[in-house]
Amino acid sequence: MNRESNAFIIFFSTVMVVVVGISLALIAQVTKPNFIKNQRLEKMQNILSSVNIQVSPSEAETAYKKYITGSVVYKMDGTLVEGVDAFEQVDLAKELKKTEDQQYFPLYECVKEDGKYFIIPMRGKGLWDAIWGYVAIKDDAVTIAGAVFDHKGETPGLGAEIAKAPFQEQFPNKKIVDASGTFTGIEVAKAGKHPAGYDHGVDGISGGTITSNGVNDMLMKYLKSFRNYIEKNNVLQPVTQEPKVEELSDDILSSDSTTVIAE
Amino acid sequence: MSIENTTATLAKKEKEALFSAKRRKLITDPLNDNNPVTVQVLGICSALAITVQVKPSLFMFGGVLFVVTMGNVIVSLIRNLIPSRVRIIAQLVIVASLVIIVDLLLKAYAYDMSKQLSVFVGLIITNCIVMGRLEAFAMGNKWWPSLLDGVGNALGYGLILVLVASVREIFGSGTWLGFQVIPQPVYDLGYVNNGLMILPPMALIVVGLIIWIQRAKNTKLIEAN
Amino acid sequence: MELVNIFVKSIFVENMIFAYFLGMCSYLAVSKKVKTALGLGTAVIFVLGFTVPINYILENYLLKEGALKWLSPEFASVDLSFLSFLMFIAVVAAFVQLVEMAVEKFSPSLYASLGIFLPLIAVNCSILGGALFMQQRDYPSLAHATVFGLGSGVGWMLAIVFIAAIREKIRYSHIPAPLRGLGIAFILTGLMGIAFMSFMGIKL
């Protein structure tokens, strides 16, 4: 056949598209479960790291099941949202696109050898792009146990310092409520504004003002909604919701892959 | 293809060993005299941004090796079927599909790496080395030489990549492939890592210096003014 | 405000050349004269300004998980994003081809000045890079994506015009022979990149 004829070109293109389409779809199907699993493990790792549990991806699943004992979802004013799973169904990046009163706020509960913690995932805007973090609060729902932050594209050496230890190490033992029970949050302010030993604020990054303000706004919003939830639902006792991780992992198991989760 | 032609190529095949001098040149040439990056100025686009550390550049090299070799082999095998009017599109489709495969595999089996390489995996598609080799070599050669040519060019590319990454990682972070190479006592004496090395522009300057050294040794590459 | 932010950021801070080295091949090859550099730069702005929004529409109404919902709710779980590389590069190649044909037919004078650069652009990494960054950053609206595409194009043009101006001058300088041409162009770009990094401190 003349390979420069229109008929052949059309035939050739069709065959090419079909072959490429089928093979790519096949490979995408085969690799997808692993990809999803990687994303889940990463999220688990991040949650655990806020309570200072550092695990490798392969241990994340077991550690997550061991330490994270429950999760809830609530709204800004603290109203509980039923039937939504914090881990599987709430993606903060997507929540931020809704108006504030429509947004869902997830919360995890963690039991470690030395006590019980609440873990608040949060996300906001820095100077250039998204910033996010996890803040762990002790079971008095007032004292911060630890905080980790990360960012997508803040300026190295300035805003990007929020992801480094010197900034994050200021957080443990700060309090988000003052002695009279009023919400204070954690104010991120210029170094020197707060007196030494001030309980409700940390020093921002000098030169990274907009990023620091972003962290401040993010902290205020998520900590406030956390307090609203605590007060509205009288949760001085532990959250009593079964973790849903197990049943969901069963779903994935039954879908098509046997390698997803080693039980 | 006529019978004459086939017998002629068969005869040639018998004469030419699998790694004859000429074929060895297909691999060694791109390493120096005809290096795709420093001499032909191809394929730097997608590469330099990930040379802060050695590990991602090794993965990038692996990706390019796979794409350029497989692409060369596939195109060379079907080169007599591809209508010349749509050949660029056909090559593009083959390259893009191979890159998608690399991307999917990275996401599934080397998730950390795939996050670090981010969009630069996708940019292998427009890596001029790949398209350049398909068009210039694989369209006119049999699969075995095409394979060697692909491996050679990927090696030439990887060599520069790893060199740049080594310089930047050793001086910028004091490590190589994640291992500490600058010992602690040196730091105690007051040595500090050179933060400038981590910044993107240093990749360009390091490549410039590599070109300088290479051309000082290999004077026939010097450009006329 | 946000749009201005994206625009300024994509020109200066996340410059395609100085921060990501995208489009280096044509950047180094076509930067010997300011005039040609200007022509190629304009073509890049034009193509980026159109392909990024086109790809944005494709990404959000065809490829993304749940993007096909507008067709029928049944397709809500279809995820075609693994095809995105293929779609993006096809859009770029087809668009460049179309523009080239249109320009050649309707405006021969424009074709003479801009048209010769169009084929070069289909394989310019900055074009595909624009589409991939758009996908990765997940811009909230078409306007954001368009502004990002235009800004990246302007940044790219600035870079290539600057280097071309410098290269025109340094032809009369004494440069060590092995460094002539390519070598010095790399080092110059690096130095310009360092200068551009000072824009990182910009506050809007």
Side-chain angles (χ1 to χ4, degrees):
Chain A
M1 202 194 320
N2 175 13
R3 73 182 161 115
E4 296 306 327
S5 70
N6 283 340
F8 183 78
I9 290 181
I10 293 171
F11 168 74
F12 179 84
S13 313
T14 324
V15 171
M16 185 172 76
V17 168
V18 170
V19 169
V20 166
I22 292 179
S23 46
L24 286 184
L26 211 68
I27 294 174
Q29 277 308 315
V30 173
T31 53
K32 196 160 188 188
N34 239 322
F35 174 45
I36 294 173
K37 180 184 133 201
N38 286 332
Q39 281 182 321
R40 284 166 48 90
L41 292 180
E42 191 197 12
K43 196 169 173 183
M44 291 174 178
Q45 263 181 305
N46 283 337
I47 294 174
L48 290 173
S49 67
S50 66
V51 281
N52 223 348
I53 304 176
Q54 307 296 346
V55 286
S56 71
S58 51
E59 304 154 358
E61 181 94 33
T62 2
Y64 183 87
K65 274 189 193 161
K66 183 174 162 203
Y67 293 112
I68 305 296
T69 49
S71 65
V72 284
V73 177
Y74 48 85
K75 289 194 171 179
M76 186 67 210
D77 60 4
T79 342
L80 262 180
V81 179
E82 296 291 337
V84 177
D85 184 71
F87 186 83
E88 305 288 342
Q89 285 165 296
V90 181
D91 178 353
L92 283 180
K94 283 184 189 147
E95 296 302 319
L96 280 182
K97 290 182 181 161
K98 302 181 193 165
T99 54
E100 196 168 280
D101 56 328
Q102 294 293 314
Q103 287 175 16
Y104 289 163
F105 295 78
L107 177 73
Y108 300 94
E109 194 202 47
C110 164
V111 177
K112 245 174 81 175
E113 292 78 5
D114 56 353
K116 185 173 288 176
Y117 300 95
F118 298 103
I119 300 175
I120 315 169
M122 48 184 67
R123 192 179 176 94
K125 270 180 71 71
L127 170 60
W128 299 120
D129 218 322
I131 52 176
W132 60 88
Y134 294 88
V135 171
I137 304 222
K138 292 189 180 153
D139 61 351
D140 58 359
V142 167
T143 318
I144 293 189
V148 286
F149 299 101
D150 208 346
H151 62 96
K152 206 167 181 181
E154 299 306 301
T155 319
L158 300 175
E161 295 293 303
I162 59 163
K164 303 249 169 79
F167 180 71
Q168 300 177 2
E169 277 166 2
Q170 301 181 76
F171 281 87
N173 297 322
K174 300 280 177 195
K175 292 184 166 38
I176 62 173
V177 173
D178 67 12
S180 65
T182 327
F183 174 76
T184 55
I186 298 293
E187 192 188 8
V188 183
K190 232 182 210 136
K193 187 189 168 193
H194 302 309
Y198 183 63
D199 263 350
H200 312 295
V202 295
D203 292 341
I205 311 282
S206 54
T209 315
I210 300 190
T211 312
S212 303
N213 289 347
V215 177
N216 181 63
D217 296 347
M218 172 171 91
L219 281 168
M220 289 297 178
K221 175 178 161 194
Y222 285 88
L223 293 176
K224 179 81 191 132
S225 68
F226 168 72
R227 282 305 302 179
N228 286 345
Y229 159 74
I230 296 287
E231 281 156 19
K232 191 159 192 161
N233 298 282
N234 270 329
V235 199
L236 287 171
Q237 290 82 32
V239 189
T240 50
Q241 199 177 335
E242 278 297 297
K244 294 192 170 172
V245 187
E246 263 163 289
E247 55 183 89
L248 270 141
S249 41
D250 284 349
D251 281 351
I252 289 175
L253 264 180
S254 60
S255 66
D256 54 359
S257 164
T258 49
T259 57
V260 180
I261 288 147
E263 284 290 347
Chain B
M1 210 187 276
S2 71
I3 298 167
E4 248 176 39
N5 239 339
T6 4
T7 46
T9 43
L10 271 179
K12 210 168 141 205
K13 210 175 216 167
E14 277 170 7
K15 254 191 290 170
E16 205 170 344
L18 217 51
F19 286 103
S20 64
K22 200 175 114 211
R23 289 186 167 162
R24 266 204 310 273
K25 239 177 129 41
L26 286 175
I27 292 208
T28 54
D29 228 26
L31 291 184
N32 187 3
D33 282 3
N34 219 355
N35 188 289
V37 178
T38 59
V39 180
Q40 300 177 28
V41 215
L42 295 176
I44 16 186
C45 327
S46 59
L48 290 180
I50 44 90
T51 52
V52 180
Q53 287 168 340
V54 175
K55 202 174 163 204
S57 43
L58 281 177
F59 272 84
M60 193 69 182
F61 159 63
V64 170
L65 178 71
F66 172 78
V67 173
V68 75
T69 314
M70 289 297 289
N72 259 358
V73 170
I74 294 174
V75 167
S76 153
L77 285 176
I78 62 168
R79 70 181 188 278
N80 292 325
L81 285 174
I82 304 177
S84 63
R85 268 192 287 168
V86 293
R87 72 170 196 288
I88 298 287
I89 295 284
Q91 290 167 6
L92 218 50
V93 170
I94 291 169
V95 174
S97 317
L98 289 169
V99 172
I100 293 175
I101 294 176
V102 170
D103 185 48
L104 289 172
L105 290 178
L106 279 180
K107 273 183 182 153
Y109 302 109
Y111 185 64
D112 275 353
M113 258 317 125
S114 108
K115 270 202 324 190
Q116 262 191 51
L117 295 176
S118 70
V119 301
F120 295 97
V121 177
L123 287 169
I124 298 178
I125 299 175
T126 46
N127 187 320
C128 327
I129 297 176
V130 180
M131 286 294 283
R133 291 334 286 170
L134 293 189
E135 178 70 9
F137 198 93
M139 281 304 283
N141 283 284
K142 280 223 193 17
W143 72 272
W144 177 244
S146 299
L147 190 147
L148 294 181
D149 180 76
V151 173
N153 276 283
L155 280 175
Y157 165 90
L159 180 74
I160 299 296
L161 214 59
V162 171
L163 256 177
V164 175
S166 302
V167 172
R168 290 181 76 187
E169 194 178 336
I170 290 173
F171 290 106
S173 326
T175 56
W176 192 81
L177 207 56
F179 299 107
Q180 197 70 35
V181 287
I182 295 180
Q184 193 55 43
V186 181
Y187 285 104
D188 295 340
L189 286 173
Y191 174 85
V192 274
N193 289 326
N194 185 349
L196 191 61
M197 276 293 172
I198 299 177
L199 302 177
M202 278 318 282
L204 293 165
I205 294 177
V206 172
V207 173
L209 296 178
I210 290 176
I211 293 178
W212 190 0
I213 296 168
Q214 187 194 15
R215 292 189 181 181
K217 293 201 159 173
N218 199 339
T219 43
K220 64 173 181 282
L221 295 174
I222 292 178
E223 282 173 52
N225 206 345
Chain C
M1 193 59 208
E2 211 176 319
L3 294 180
V4 179
N5 194 349
I6 291 182
F7 192 66
V8 171
K9 190 182 171 197
S10 53
I11 295 180
F12 294 110
V13 182
E14 294 182 338
N15 187 291
M16 283 281 183
I17 294 275
F18 297 131
Y20 297 113
F21 320 105
L22 297 183
M24 284 297 279
C25 312
S26 25
Y27 169 82
L28 289 168
V30 197
S31 63
K32 290 194 176 127
K33 282 208 186 95
V34 173
K35 215 182 140 204
T36 43
L38 208 58
L40 183 64
T42 322
V44 167
I45 297 182
F46 184 74
V47 175
L48 262 176
F50 276 96
T51 53
V52 171
I54 296 177
N55 280 326
Y56 180 85
I57 296 172
L58 272 180
E59 161 81 8
N60 283 287
Y61 293 98
L62 186 66
L63 297 172
K64 236 190 198 171
E65 184 164 12
L68 284 169
K69 242 188 302 194
W70 58 274
L71 264 181
S72 141
E74 288 167 40
F75 295 141
S77 65
V78 177
D79 183 5
L80 290 178
S81 49
F82 68 94
L83 284 177
S84 55
F85 294 170
L86 207 52
M87 286 305 274
F88 291 167
I89 191 74
V91 165
V92 172
F95 181 80
V96 169
Q97 190 76 57
L98 274 178
V99 171
E100 194 187 350
M101 291 194 300
V103 171
E104 191 177 10
K105 194 158 167 57
F106 297 115
S107 170
S109 63
L110 186 64
Y111 183 72
S113 64
L114 208 147
I116 41 167
F117 298 115
L118 284 170
L120 266 178
I121 283 179
V123 287
N124 186 322
C125 324
S126 62
I127 310 289
L128 184 67
L132 293 176
F133 277 126
M134 174 275 295
Q135 180 189 35
Q136 193 201 30
R137 292 179 192 160
D138 200 9
Y139 285 115
S141 80
L142 191 60
H144 287 79
T146 316
V147 166
F148 164 71
L150 287 173
S152 304
V154 173
W156 200 88
M157 186 182 86
L158 274 184
I160 193 172
V161 170
F162 287 171
I163 188 90
I166 296 178
R167 285 180 87 176
E168 272 189 9
K169 291 281 174 221
I170 60 162
R171 248 190 306 161
Y172 308 106
S173 316
H174 291 289
I175 298 163
L179 210 50
R180 231 182 269 152
L182 198 57
I184 196 72
F186 267 110
I187 293 178
L188 278 173
T189 311
L191 292 176
M192 284 162 69
I194 293 179
F196 262 63
M197 287 194 64
S198 53
F199 286 116
M200 275 191 179
I202 279 185
K203 278 177 192 166
L204 287 175

